[in-house]
Amino acid sequence: TYLLDKVDDPTDIEGIEKAVDESFSRILSGVETHDTCCFLYVTGLTSVTIAAIKWCLGHGVSITAMHYDVLTGRYFPQEI
C-alpha cells in the first residue's frame, strides 16, 4: 500500500504531513498502533519519508526503513 500516490509539491511540508496522517489513519483504521510495525520503502522523497517517520513515532508505530540496493536489486532493512 502506498502512503501517497502523488506529491505535487515536495516543499509543502504541511500538506504532506496532512496527507500522510490521512493515509496512515485510513490504512491503520481499527488497529492498535502500539503493536504495529511499518515497513517503509524509501523511494527518494525525503519530505514524505520524514513525515511518515514523524507520524509513526507520534503514534507508537515501530519503523523499519527499506532501502534499495542497486548492486543486488534487493531491499535491505534499517530499523529506526
Side-chain angles (χ1 to χ4, degrees):
T1 302
Y2 291 98
L3 276 179
L4 305 178
D5 292 323
K6 179 178 157 184
V7 175
D8 292 321
D9 181 1
T11 66
D12 179 12
I13 302 303
E14 186 176 314
I16 288 170
E17 288 182 351
K18 181 177 186 252
V20 165
D21 178 60
E22 291 169 355
S23 186
F24 267 126
S25 295
R26 177 182 44 79
I27 293 167
L28 297 174
S29 177
V31 173
E32 291 291 331
T33 58
H34 67 275
D35 291 330
T36 303
C37 178
C38 174
F39 288 88
L40 185 64
Y41 286 78
V42 181
T43 60
L45 282 174
T46 307
S47 54
V48 175
T49 302
I50 291 171
I53 291 169
K54 284 176 62 176
W55 191 95
C56 289
L57 292 175
H59 290 83
V61 175
S62 62
I63 312 156
T64 299
M66 300 299 290
H67 303 278
Y68 187 72
D69 182 345
V70 295
L71 297 177
T72 65
R74 297 180 185 169
Y75 284 88
F76 65 94
Q78 177 187 17
E79 290 185 19
I80 298 174

